Amino acid sequence: MNNNKAVPLLIPAHLSGDLWGGFAAMLVALPSAIAFGVTIFSPLGSTFGAQGALAGMLGVTILGFVAAAFGGTQRLISAPCAPAAAVLTAVTIELIRQASQALS
């Protein structure tokens, strides 16, 4: 017998706590998000470092509030991770390589 009930995404009684939790998770994840953003944009050139930092800040802000809005577990924090940054950096390098070959 399955006693699992569907949990509504937005519970008004928990919304305030969920939003504050998302905000706290965003602040904890902010330094790593900035570093990962700069790492991912660095293959494009040194002038893109600031844009990478801004992308990291915007991404972690949106991630914090979207994760809070959809809920989840009581002890789950959504944050950027190093393996994803490594993969995105490799994708960026590959796209630059393909673009430079197409231009030549």
Side-chain angles (χ1 to χ4, degrees), residues 8-74:
L9 294 179
L10 294 174
I11 301 172
H14 298 160
L15 188 59
S16 175
D18 287 342
L19 288 176
W20 280 111
F23 182 71
M26 176 203 59
L27 290 178
V28 168
L30 191 60
S32 61
I34 292 171
F36 295 152
V38 170
T39 302
I40 292 167
F41 277 62
S42 65
L44 299 174
S46 60
T47 58
F48 289 94
Q51 292 173 354
L54 181 62
M57 289 187 292
L58 292 174
V60 77
T61 301
I62 292 168
L63 177 67
F65 287 117
V66 167
F70 285 108
T73 65
Q74 294 179 358

